Amino acid sequence: MKIQEEQIQIENQKDLASHVESLDFLSNKLTKQNYDVNAIISKLADFQVAIPSWALGAGGTRFGRFSYFGEPSNLEQKIEDVGIIHSLTKTAGAVSLHIPWDVPEDYTAIKEVANSLDIKFDAVNSNTFQDQKNAKESYKYGSLSNVSQAVREQAIQHNLDVINIGNKLGSKALTVWLADGSCFPGQNNFQTAFQNTQDSLIDIYKGLPQDWKMLIEYKPYEPNFYSTVIQDWGASLMLANGCGDKAYTLVDLGHHLPNSNIEQIVSILQLKGKLGGFHFNDSKYGDDDLTAGSIKPYALFLIFNELVYGMKNNPQNPDLAWMIDASHNVKDPLEDLIQSLEAIQESYAKALLVDQDALKAAQLDNDVVKCQEILQGAFRTDVRPLLEKARLLSGGVLNPIKAYRSLDVREGLIRERGKNTIATGL
Amino acid sequence: MKIQEEQIQIENQKDLASHVESLDFLSNKLTKQNYDVNAIISKLADFQVAIPSWALGAGGTRFGRFSYFGEPSNLEQKIEDVGIIHSLTKTAGAVSLHIPWDVPEDYTAIKEVANSLDIKFDAVNSNTFQDQKNAKESYKYGSLSNVSQAVREQAIQHNLDVINIGNKLGSKALTVWLADGSCFPGQNNFQTAFQNTQDSLIDIYKGLPQDWKMLIEYKPYEPNFYSTVIQDWGASLMLANGCGDKAYTLVDLGHHLPNSNIEQIVSILQLKGKLGGFHFNDSKYGDDDLTAGSIKPYALFLIFNELVYGMKNNPQNPDLAWMIDASHNVKDPLEDLIQSLEAIQESYAKALLVDQDALKAAQLDNDVVKCQEILQGAFRTDVRPLLEKARLLSGGVLNPIKAYRSLDVREGLIRERGKNTIATGL
Amino acid sequence: MKIQEEQIQIENQKDLASHVESLDFLSNKLTKQNYDVNAIISKLADFQVAIPSWALGAGGTRFGRFSYFGEPSNLEQKIEDVGIIHSLTKTAGAVSLHIPWDVPEDYTAIKEVANSLDIKFDAVNSNTFQDQKNAKESYKYGSLSNVSQAVREQAIQHNLDVINIGNKLGSKALTVWLADGSCFPGQNNFQTAFQNTQDSLIDIYKGLPQDWKMLIEYKPYEPNFYSTVIQDWGASLMLANGCGDKAYTLVDLGHHLPNSNIEQIVSILQLKGKLGGFHFNDSKYGDDDLTAGSIKPYALFLIFNELVYGMKNNPQNPDLAWMIDASHNVKDPLEDLIQSLEAIQESYAKALLVDQDALKAAQLDNDVVKCQEILQGAFRTDVRPLLEKARLLSGGVLNPIKAYRSLDVREGLIRERGKNTIATGL
Amino acid sequence: MKIQEEQIQIENQKDLASHVESLDFLSNKLTKQNYDVNAIISKLADFQVAIPSWALGAGGTRFGRFSYFGEPSNLEQKIEDVGIIHSLTKTAGAVSLHIPWDVPEDYTAIKEVANSLDIKFDAVNSNTFQDQKNAKESYKYGSLSNVSQAVREQAIQHNLDVINIGNKLGSKALTVWLADGSCFPGQNNFQTAFQNTQDSLIDIYKGLPQDWKMLIEYKPYEPNFYSTVIQDWGASLMLANGCGDKAYTLVDLGHHLPNSNIEQIVSILQLKGKLGGFHFNDSKYGDDDLTAGSIKPYALFLIFNELVYGMKNNPQNPDLAWMIDASHNVKDPLEDLIQSLEAIQESYAKALLVDQDALKAAQLDNDVVKCQEILQGAFRTDVRPLLEKARLLSGGVLNPIKAYRSLDVREGLIRERGKNTIATGL
């Protein structure tokens, strides 16, 4: 299933008048305050977030999974789903594959599908937290950190294989998320586990093509419930530094202890030139993987405020890999992703409205009230017309959720795929 | 110091054109969506939040306190400060006194001051967490829960005295916050402490005038760091039920464990007709007492969404006592309170924009995406023009912080009071 | 597989001398301090904890599950596993079934198996968090709280069926754990969900045999990640009170927000006569379901201290249903359960050593240091000889883990069952 | 007041027989298991923990402070108090001064007092979180991180002064704890604050004598409630690395987000040779500063397990500075400190009982059950006889709390000092 340009035009006709009116009002107001509205819209239009291949089916919890009808049953269909999201939002121009769930059978064919939908292949993800059928070694007690050399070698080789697959598709980064850790005190020797991980990562790093990055994710707990080898940004950074210049820390918003100040982590990593990527989602309790911006939108805005600052002021930091890592089972996955994209763009737009010069001046004056007024002023602005305009200019729809429903996309997918397909993934 | 009407009019002239333009746009848009804009503005204008007398001086932490110049040095000056806030915002038409910090010397005079500023006396607060000079008994090991009958009797009598003071001023509620608890396992017998508290509260309840309410606050920790006698809403409700119909639970936003779903607590208490009052503030870690809406504005909106629902659908629940309980030492306290009031009004306005019928329909359809769109749609709306209009209609200023600064209020207070006054309070 | 008495005797011979020496020393010491050592041992011997049927296979997380060899593939084998644990520890004389995972095919046969192993049928557990094959209605959006009457009725009927099954086996209690809640703000109407749940529970309650109890579990989050209908003890107690005298609150140690003071909850529920049951496990982050006592043994001791106090001083509270609800995938499940049982008995023994009279006297003196000394004195005592003696007197082994390994139990089970069986459960 | 040797001998006579019996039993048992009991006792006797000068008076919270009678009113009396604790426990042979609360008036006299009591001067602590009378600049908005160069220079100079004072007394380390941070989003530029802090620390570092260490403490929040400049171990380590080889991270147990795995942090820092010091206390909610071991003794044991491992296996890491940083207002401060010392020694003793070879073997086998048995086996052992013996050999008392009370120490202090003295500190 593919959304046609005419369909988009018809959809946009419905809301165009209202959009123009809102944009005029906002644009006029912002221009009076010396904002360059077109520049902001242009930045929004350029901002692209990768969709992870595992978010296109229903997510589950350890207590069960409720399937969604019309799930993609192979990689091609997954990319088609991303294509649908992208054609509506023009913000999802990339897919992030998870190996071995998404090993292409025919590389040329897959690349053609992606190409035809204007979808790039973003960072590839390895999986050493599950045992694969017929695998010689088990990851039950860890992978890159395992006490067994044979297990570590299998896990290293898997990562090298993933790089190889990604390379054929045009990816430029490997994301390593390790579930390694322990469930009980004493189970692991922390130092041995850390050093094994460092050594394994170095072996993988050596296999990295010249123009690739390695993104090292951290997480304090789950699926291990006493310790995780790469528990926080400090550990990730230490390991990245141990690998070399092409290794970076990747921040997943859900991978933090309660009350963490994530925006500060993001800021300091950029200062050190070591923030490599970002996984968007939201959470109230743990790694809940909820829709981005659905629980703590102000926190997301504060993070974007740091990202915008860093993108401008920290040339030492590379371009970031952006990905959604949210997936839940009570929503249509495509609608869920569209809502995440909308929230991400909204936060980005609001962060672009923060008057950095005024903020700096207020900070130098210790005018805390003013600092807060500046941030809240940006956050309280209704930026939806800017997002609409950015989509309109890029050929997307004014209102993606509305269009998705109006175009009966899910019904079309069910017609094509049936009700009983199950997407690979969690 | 008192702000004059002419000053307000002059201030408002500056921003009037911009306000009219913004309000027209928003009003027009909302009217098309069938909102009754005037009704919303009218509700905002009616909404009044009490200012606690202890928030008018600089707050402190256990590590120290940095004084603010021009602090009010007596009760009359505290009420004058509330008057200043109220004249600007028209939202702070009440003061909540804390005894013994604010015992009036001349009741008639104090009532006249308050009256002239259109300030009412909201719930009065007792203090049994500090020892008063020359007090016979010490609260070191608790007050209403103390193992010593003499201590309990002193604490009960203090609460009765507070009721008496409040009664002379026109207050209609007593707020009881107990610091009672324990710092170490074993220090308290939980059951004895609970029963002593229940018995003490009943004795106080008996002294409550017919048209008064007793508001029982809960808090999981601090200043006791192992247990608190009234640790959560369940304990507070149990004690309120044990007292009688005039006893209610009071929710302070900062008094919860990490990740608590406060909006659900608020909702269920209203269902049972037992939510009596509300203390606004914000926090990232504990009872941080930060400016309302400064950290988690979406959570504040979700709470207001339940409050608005309850005010409409739960006649079994009484009118609520609203109070700010935030106070910090890096801002001018009056500016801090104005920012809190603005955030509270903003959340209320957005909650009033939630289309309850559409939400209910989406809930019945299990259309989770739509439910989220409805809430986010309301939250994303820039409602500041509605707040401005409500203030304008009530005789306040369009932009309170701006006016406060433009009118050199703090400088005026320093001129009147000097730099070295210290307000009673924490 | 069944462990024979002779095997146990042979095992015990190995450690008997060492045991006698240790017990003599401790017994002598405690007797000097006026403890009735035999009474304590007798209480330990009487203490029985139910094993949940789902803990006998490997547990899993949403990221995967690593199977264990020799898992029980049917209910009879599950009960045999409990029999093995019980024959070694003499503390696991009950099994708690989960329906529909464990519906007996032949009730008489199952009862005979259980009887022959001295295993009773404890509380039965219903399951409305997963959809069963061919079920008419889905629990995707809730069960007892669902907006759809048809779903609620199916869930009510399921609970009535579970009561019926339990009744045939001799169970005397139904445990209701609801996964119901919401993943996103707005998804649920909190009040409707709560009232639906109350009404559904009342319907189930009506089907409860005269001598049965209904145990209502609470949990703040997971698998729903924004709200849970029965989020805390306050909500559970409210619902129990709404049902009647036979409805109680059940406390699962892992079902609390960070830093909760669980011992206080336990104490207050006993004071009100409403603590019905207990699920043991341990956790560092969330509902981690780790081995009891493996992370916070002092907290477990403090909880037992309240339980011991309540069992003596709160005749208004009924006998409690004790169950382990821990299960993890990096240990042999039977060894895991044995470790839990050992930790539970240890905590109970230490709580029995708390000198309640001395503690009360110290509390009345506000002698906080002494209170702490009393609790720590009990906790620091090495009570393992008492547990050994209790097992010895009951026909169990001195050292269960050692015996389990020495007797090659797992190897025996694998011989009988093979490597590829999979137990029903999570 | 000074405790005499004869008094100690008289006290010890009372409990000697019981001690000998218990030690014999334990010693015998451990020896059979191949432990070198004398070596363990010797290590315990050598282990010394510094007492912070501010813990000798009553602690307080922001809600108030309840004084204790007989508080030390000057530095000499503070050292006398440490002397009392040390004479009883023989574990508190050092004091850690806090400047400016404890600036000596007469260095020779103070050193003589300390010397006569066998008390050394451990790390000195600077204070830039409070304004001192007549200080030119205020720390209201930060010290080493302040946007104002003048403030930073004052704070740097203060630290240099503190080094100078410590140097005269024989201290060999400076502990820097910064309260710097922000209360509201936007108040600080994270990167500027971090870089200012780094630069300031480097300036202080340059003033460090050759044989000194700089210990950099971290803390996630309080007294700032939105962000702290040195928020976690990663930030502290980064700053230490930026200073040089003599700069280390200092871990305070209470300075972590909920559920942090502190033992892993300790372990990894030792691996990197960068763990410099340790502040002992305990907490349930935040930086509660409760008595060490009073809330989570197993966590303290796990931390000591890593420390013992590191002290043996990480020659790259220096000797650690140990200090208690607990202080509370519901206990006699000296008794509180004695309870902390006892809990620390207990944890150390139990960690020394962990069979590291067996643990390593079990880890290599992924025998998680065995790993847990080994740790729990050590923890469950009643090691109090070993502590008693260590004290006995060193000239201390068998039972410090009992002796403290039997010798009427507090009454003696009150006789000497009166009831109304107030110790400097929080």
Side-chain angles (χ1 to χ4, degrees), chain D residues 9-21:
Chain D
Q9 282 168 13
I10 292 167
E11 284 305 312
N12 283 345
Q13 269 326 104
K14 301 180 190 169
D15 297 320
L16 198 58
S18 162
H19 160 69
V20 169
E21 194 180 0

Side-chain angles (χ1 to χ4, degrees), chain B residues 200-215:
Chain B
S200 299
L201 286 172
I202 289 173
D203 282 352
I204 297 166
Y205 186 85
K206 286 179 189 156
L208 219 55
Q210 199 49 41
D211 57 347
W212 274 52
K213 288 183 228 164
M214 179 193 276
L215 308 177

Side-chain angles (χ1 to χ4, degrees), chain B residues 217-237:
Chain B
E217 207 164 339
Y218 59 89
K219 185 174 185 181
Y221 66 95
E222 199 214 17
N224 275 295
F225 290 109
Y226 168 63
S227 75
T228 299
V229 175
I230 314 180
Q231 67 169 339
D232 59 11
W233 71 274
S236 165
L237 179 60

Side-chain angles (χ1 to χ4, degrees), chain A residues 186 191 226 232-233 263 363, chain D residues 186 226 232-233 263 314 363:
Chain A
Q191 299 191 353
Y226 168 63
D232 59 13
W233 71 274
E263 50 270 32
Q363 287 167 343
Chain D
Y226 168 64
D232 59 11
W233 72 273
E263 51 270 30
N314 300 134
Q363 286 167 342

Side-chain angles (χ1 to χ4, degrees), chain B residues 186 226 232-233 263 314 363, chain C residues 186 191 226 232-233 263 363:
Chain B
Y226 168 63
D232 59 11
W233 71 274
E263 52 269 33
N314 300 135
Q363 288 167 343
Chain C
Q191 299 191 353
Y226 168 64
D232 61 11
W233 71 274
E263 51 271 31
Q363 287 168 342

Side-chain angles (χ1 to χ4, degrees), chain D residues 31 83 151 165 168 252:
Chain D
T31 305
V151 178
I165 290 168
K168 291 193 208 159
D252 179 301

